[in-house]
Amino acid sequence: YLWEDNTLGKGASARTLANLPSDVVDALKELTTRGRQLGGLKAAAGVLDKALPAELGLLAILFQSAGFSHQYHIARLQMYLRDRGVLETVRQTVEKSGKSLDYHLQAMYVSDVLGQAIIDALPGFAANEAEARQLLKAQYPKAKEITQQEMLEAISHLLAVDDRIPCTLIVLDELQQHIGVSAQRSLSVQMMVEACCKQFSGRLLFVATGQSALSETTNLQKLMGRFPVAIELSDADVETVIRKLLLAKKPDQLPVVQGFLETHSGEVDRQLRNTRIGPRPEDLDIIATDYPILPVRQRFWERVLRAIDKPGTAAQLRTQLRMVHEALSSVADMPLGAVVPADFIFDQQYSQMKQAGLLLKDIEGTIQKYRDEPGQLKYKLCALAFLIGLLPRDTGADIGVRATPEMLSDLLVGDIADGGTELRKQVPELLEELAEAGDLMQIGEEYRIQTRESAVWEQEYRNLYAKFLNDGDFIAGERSQLLRGRVGEALNKIQVLQGKSKIARKLTITHGGAGPTGNVDDIPVWVRNGWDEKEASVKVDAQQMGTSSPIITVYLPQRGSDDFRRAIASWRAAEQVLGQRGTPTTDEGLQARSAMQTRMDHAQNEARMLAGNVISHAIVLQGGGGDVT
């Protein structure tokens, strides 16, 4: 755009809109002057097709920049018709048939319509359509490869203006990817560029872009003689371009944004606190400039990009420009206070993660099944849990970000004005639902996306959980055993000393049944529960025993029956899976075991807590039915 200084409407052009250094402005003015002297300015950019030889790949880029087909034989025909001033006439004639010229050019050897259109535009070209088709097939055959001379002639034919080659810029994008590890491709590109520079006396300027410096790969080092000027972008360069081009704000509005962010600094300052990418003092200098992208989330994106694409392609300027541009577009129409959620990067890098083999099919299915839900909150939580799981945990590389309810809420807040109050209430509940559904697994406070290995463990757990949950006798036995244990823990703390001589009296505990029997010197405690007997019946029995009875009745009321059942089923199911699966040797297996151990511990603690709650509400009765507070 800057090379040709394209007109962009309302009297503006590319160069007038861009904020360029003065030396670049001066160089572009000189370029325009030279262009007037030498036949104009032309520019073309594209990626060399790996399926084509370098010569045909270069021509494909140049042909497309001129509005022609990228295919060599078709573009040659288009140039022939252009040179004779009938290309538009043929186009109009062909389109009357109801199909485009491009459609018929793809079938140029068999298209009666195209043949007749050329005959109509160029009388004498052929006697009839059949002869025209034969001429086209003979004169413009498909080419799998061409010589350098044919390439040079085609370039000259395409670009020449009054027998002069204009000042032409050719950008070979992602040249590093095209060459890869192929020494032959490297040599082909080198010879192609040398031939063009020699033939056209420096009128063609080649620029090659790549993922990293040319010198980093042996095959690319051979090209250094053809590309003597090396320019490397640093992270600072990328940030500067993004701020100047995409995040720039009207000068009179910047203080408004700054004031708003200061007013709501509480929400901003709580983002990922106690992590290595959390809020920093220097953020104050850039937060208004970077809004609506919070500095913390920008740092999170950078770490995710590095984890997704270790060679560094995702960290380059173009990828970040596109990502930031689309992120801004997603919140552009929202009121002040809207910020870009951190999960935005998942959709942006979706294809890249699949290509890199990071987003496995089963994990993709887990995440995508929530995409169409209103609000997409479960989709966002699964996506973020997956991305956080990609971050390195090695010493020195660990930034401390975990998929906990608090941190996930921090990353998902989309409006700092309301502080995400409602969101922070929903996230823990939704995470539990996802874990129960088997889509996430809980490891301590953290949630992780299920892997194939963990899914196997999870299925075994689910089968056992369902079995235990529906086995009433099993649940009753486990609950009774748990209550007995908790009662024992509570009563063991009690030491009864009787009389002035402080004689120790032993508590003898009996659960259910016909009542206590045994040593008369002991204090009998009869424990009964609400799952086996009604409270009224227990109280009647205590009254009938009379005030002379030494028996103390303890009644455990029925509380949290469903929660009890679920906790016990989960506890025992996880315990049995751990016993059956043993200790795995793979990272995925160890992760699955850790998650199952955490699940067992969590369920066991919950069951004990429920039992403790029952005991805390126990009713204690003396002989005769008198309450003991």
Side-chain angles (χ1 to χ4, degrees), residues 11-151:
S13 68
R15 296 180 192 172
T16 61
L17 291 178
N19 182 16
L20 302 171
S22 58
D23 57 336
V24 176
V25 172
D26 294 340
L28 289 173
K29 287 181 179 178
E30 179 65 20
L31 177 66
T32 299
T33 301
R34 297 301 297 273
R36 293 194 188 102
Q37 298 169 351
L38 301 173
L41 301 175
K42 297 290 183 182
V47 178
L48 289 174
D49 190 339
K50 284 187 176 182
L52 297 175
E55 293 82 5
L56 286 175
L58 175 61
L59 287 178
I61 294 173
L62 290 169
F63 287 150
Q64 286 184 302
S65 72
F68 296 147
S69 170
H70 68 283
Q71 298 182 63
Y72 177 69
H73 65 292
I74 295 177
R76 286 182 60 219
L77 174 58
Q78 289 174 310
M79 289 191 293
Y80 171 82
L81 297 175
R82 176 204 65 180
D83 294 344
R84 281 149 186 77
V86 298
L87 180 58
E88 288 305 313
T89 301
V90 171
R91 184 188 305 278
Q92 294 170 9
T93 303
V94 167
E95 289 177 350
K96 291 178 182 178
S97 69
K99 298 287 186 179
S100 68
L101 177 60
D102 292 338
Y103 174 84
H104 286 280
L105 285 171
Q106 290 295 328
M108 59 190 290
Y109 302 150
V110 296
S111 174
D112 292 339
V113 174
L114 178 60
Q116 186 59 52
I118 295 176
I119 293 172
D120 292 343
L122 296 172
F125 178 79
N128 51 53
E129 298 97 326
E131 184 179 331
R133 294 198 306 272
Q134 290 300 318
L135 283 171
L136 292 177
K137 188 172 184 179
Q139 189 65 29
Y140 304 104
K142 291 184 179 180
K144 292 185 178 180
E145 58 182 21
I146 60 174
T147 65
Q148 279 194 0
Q149 187 58 38
E150 289 174 321
M151 175 196 71

Side-chain angles (χ1 to χ4, degrees), residues 96 106 129 135 166 179 258 277 297-298 312 316-317 381 413 421 488 502 512 561 563 565 588 598:
K96 291 178 182 178
Q106 290 295 328
E129 298 97 326
L135 283 171
I179 293 175
Q258 184 75 48
I277 63 170
R297 293 182 183 178
Q298 178 67 30
Q316 293 304 309
L317 176 62
L381 287 170
V413 169
T421 304
K502 305 294 182 181
S561 295
D563 292 338
R565 187 162 55 94
E588 293 82 0
T598 300

Side-chain angles (χ1 to χ4, degrees), residues 192-448:
M192 176 186 72
V193 174
E194 287 178 353
C196 289
C197 292
K198 180 179 179 181
Q199 176 72 20
F200 300 111
S201 303
R203 299 289 178 84
L204 271 59
L205 174 64
F206 283 89
V207 173
T209 76
Q211 301 163 11
S212 58
L214 289 173
S215 59
E216 291 191 8
T217 304
T218 303
N219 289 327
L220 296 175
Q221 291 176 4
K222 301 174 183 178
L223 296 177
M224 295 299 286
R226 285 294 101 212
F227 297 89
V229 181
I231 301 174
E232 295 185 44
L233 287 175
S234 67
D235 289 341
D237 294 323
V238 174
E239 292 175 3
T240 299
V241 172
I242 288 175
R243 288 193 178 111
K244 286 189 175 181
L245 292 183
L246 297 179
L247 295 169
K249 299 170 180 65
K250 295 179 180 178
D252 60 324
Q253 294 301 311
L254 198 56
V256 176
V257 175
Q258 184 75 48
F260 182 88
L261 292 171
E262 290 175 356
T263 302
H264 300 282
S265 60
E267 177 60 38
V268 176
D269 292 342
R270 73 179 294 176
Q271 295 280 306
L272 300 184
R273 280 183 301 194
N274 302 320
T275 69
R276 288 173 57 190
I277 63 170
R280 301 170 182 173
E282 56 266 30
D283 290 347
L284 296 175
D285 298 329
I286 60 172
I287 189 167
T289 304
D290 285 1
Y291 176 84
I293 299 175
L294 299 178
V296 171
R297 293 182 183 178
Q298 178 67 30
R299 290 192 284 270
F300 174 74
W301 286 356
E302 290 173 358
R303 298 302 180 117
V304 169
L305 286 174
R306 293 176 189 173
I308 291 173
D309 191 23
K310 291 179 173 58
T313 59
Q316 293 304 309
L317 176 62
R318 185 182 63 188
T319 300
Q320 293 198 42
L321 279 174
R322 182 181 69 248
M323 186 175 70
V324 173
H325 180 265
E326 294 185 11
L328 297 178
S329 299
S330 69
V331 298
D333 296 327
M334 297 181 182
L336 187 61
V339 291
V340 182
D343 68 285
F344 179 84
I345 195 175
F346 178 81
D347 289 330
Q348 279 289 308
Q349 297 298 311
Y350 178 77
S351 298
Q352 179 74 16
M353 290 186 292
K354 288 192 67 174
Q355 292 172 7
L358 296 173
L359 186 58
L360 300 177
K361 190 173 182 180
D362 55 339
I363 294 178
E364 177 190 4
T366 297
I367 298 173
Q368 291 295 339
K369 73 180 181 181
Y370 294 110
R371 189 181 184 89
D372 296 329
E373 286 194 354
Q376 295 187 325
L377 198 48
K378 285 186 177 179
Y379 170 76
K380 294 171 181 287
L381 287 170
C382 288
L384 272 179
F386 170 71
L387 292 175
I388 292 173
L390 296 178
L391 298 176
R393 302 291 178 92
D394 302 332
T395 303
D398 189 352
I399 59 175
V401 176
R402 299 288 186 268
T404 63
E406 181 181 359
M407 291 192 186
L408 290 171
S409 299
D410 287 345
L411 293 168
L412 285 176
V413 169
D415 186 351
I416 59 175
D418 67 11
T421 304
E422 186 61 32
L423 174 71
R424 295 181 188 280
K425 292 179 181 177
Q426 295 178 4
V427 166
E429 298 173 359
L430 294 177
L431 287 172
E432 287 188 11
E433 291 179 14
L434 289 166
E436 286 297 319
D439 297 319
L440 294 180
M441 58 181 177
Q442 187 175 7
I443 303 176
E445 295 183 357
E446 180 183 2
Y447 290 84
R448 292 187 182 180

